[in-house]
Amino acid sequence: MYRVNSGILLVDKPQGITSHDVVARTRRLAGTRKIGHAGTLDPMATGLLVLGVNSATRLLTYLVGLDKEYVATIRLGATTTTDDAEGERLDAASAALVGAVDEPRITAGIAKLTGEIDQVPSAVSAIKVDGKRAYQRVRDGEQVELKARTVTISAFEVLAMRHVAASGDDPAFVDLDVRVECSSGTYIRALARDLGSDLGVGGHLTALRRTRIGRFPVAEASALEDLDVASALIGAADAAELALPVVRLSEQQAVDLGHGKRIDATGAPATSKGEPIAAVVENGGVRRLVAIVERRGEALKVVVGFPADEAAS
């Protein structure tokens, strides 16, 4: 069976499938089951998924926590069971209340949700409660109350605003196209819910697209239907350099780290204790990620090692 070397893949997930569906298809294309992802997207959402192939799955731990960027559409005027368009509608505000939602009020509401905030995730999130996913507990008819967590919203801007009048059984609403930059662990549909709540009309998400994870942009991602794993693969060293500080190794240092030995930290970037550093060696014009290391006094200690890849076959 054809087998690709390890590395990182950027995939543009289409709407209507799960992140696991993307992983399953990529496993078939790559000829390996050893594929993981650095953060899921809901079936409704589109955009960037970062996948790790073979030994590069070890790098995903250091990519999950990168900051992210999204573009989304928030619908003000109604709440849903899931805080997005896939849930059942609960309450709809009157046309008068929705009509009173104007730009100054929206701007003020967004300001409250910008910076470091405490956010309660959606009850149908994938967060585990006593070993069971919150969304599964909701599906089983349980009441789920999740604890607030601190997240950072570094940018929350309105790109477009549209008022839609009530028609038939459909209530009046206001649609906001927004761009959000945020820390890992932020729920964009919770921002929609909380903005709607603050404005007194309710809110939910109707569209979501992830456009960036750290320094990995969706513009460089492959469409799933066109994915050629071998040509799209980003080497682990290149990927690590986009996410972490880097130390360049001599060939002997690479051998020593490969044997689990500590090496002198001279020349390594100044980092705090426990902060990961990508240790990279270049040989014959080919760069290789040898290990993720961290400082231990004046030495560097291996946290995660990366074996030299086998040739594709």
Side-chain angles (χ1 to χ4, degrees):
M1 178 181 290
Y2 178 77
R3 179 181 181 277
V4 300
N5 290 336
S6 69
I8 296 297
L9 286 173
L10 307 183
V11 179
D12 189 346
K13 186 188 90 67
Q15 189 174 37
I17 65 172
T18 67
S19 298
H20 185 266
D21 292 333
V22 175
V23 169
R25 177 167 178 177
T26 306
R27 283 172 175 164
R28 292 193 295 271
L29 293 172
T32 177
R33 289 198 55 78
K34 198 169 183 182
I35 293 181
H37 58 73
T40 62
L41 285 171
D42 291 334
M44 185 190 82
T46 68
L48 182 60
L49 279 178
V50 175
L51 306 182
V53 180
N54 292 322
S55 64
T57 54
R58 304 178 188 188
L59 185 58
L60 295 178
T61 298
Y62 303 95
L63 305 183
V64 169
L66 297 175
D67 65 303
K68 297 171 176 64
E69 179 186 68
Y70 298 87
V71 290
T73 299
I74 295 172
R75 176 156 293 179
L76 299 173
T79 59
T80 72
T81 54
T82 58
D83 300 327
D84 63 21
E86 294 192 324
E88 297 179 12
R89 185 190 297 169
L90 295 175
D91 299 315
S94 68
L97 283 175
V98 174
V101 174
D102 56 15
E103 289 190 28
R105 291 184 63 199
I106 290 171
T107 299
I110 285 177
K112 297 177 185 177
L113 295 170
T114 303
E116 190 175 279
I117 64 172
D118 289 331
Q119 182 185 74
V120 177
S122 171
V124 292
S125 68
I127 294 172
K128 285 189 176 180
V129 180
D130 295 330
K132 189 175 179 181
R133 302 289 184 186
Y135 64 75
Q136 188 59 55
R137 290 186 177 277
V138 171
R139 290 173 184 170
D140 293 342
E142 299 179 38
Q143 285 290 111
V144 176
E145 293 185 9
L146 298 176
K147 295 180 180 179
R149 54 175 61 185
T150 301
V151 297
T152 300
I153 312 300
S154 52
F156 190 173
E157 63 174 323
V158 176
L159 305 176
M161 174 178 172
R162 299 177 295 279
H163 277 271
V164 179
S167 175
D169 294 332
D170 293 327
F173 56 83
V174 175
D175 274 355
L176 302 177
D177 296 332
V178 302
R179 184 184 72 87
V180 177
E181 292 183 9
C182 57
S183 61
S184 179
T186 301
Y187 286 85
I188 308 302
R189 54 183 163 172
L191 290 179
R193 175 200 65 203
D194 294 343
L195 179 60
S197 176
D198 180 73
L199 295 170
V201 296
H204 64 280
L205 210 61
T206 61
L208 180 65
R209 180 167 176 78
R210 186 155 65 197
T211 52
R212 180 179 59 79
I213 297 176
R215 294 169 63 189
F216 300 100
V218 72
E220 296 180 6
S222 299
L224 183 58
E225 61 270 21
D226 300 325
L227 181 60
D228 180 336
V229 175
S231 62
L233 210 61
I234 301 170
D238 293 334
E241 290 193 11
L242 290 172
L244 299 170
V246 177
V247 60
R248 311 289 178 186
L249 305 176
S250 67
E251 290 187 28
Q252 185 58 52
Q253 286 176 318
V255 170
D256 289 343
L257 284 181
H259 292 156
K261 297 179 181 178
R262 298 189 182 195
I263 64 171
D264 187 357
T266 301
T271 56
S272 58
K273 183 179 179 181
E275 184 178 351
I277 302 170
V280 176
V281 68
E282 183 169 341
N283 190 333
V286 177
R287 292 187 305 153
R288 181 170 70 88
L289 178 62
V290 177
I292 302 298
V293 299
E294 62 184 27
R295 283 183 175 272
R296 284 290 189 272
E298 297 303 316
L300 298 177
K301 175 184 180 295
V302 174
V303 178
V304 179
F306 291 79
D309 293 323
E310 301 173 10
S313 60

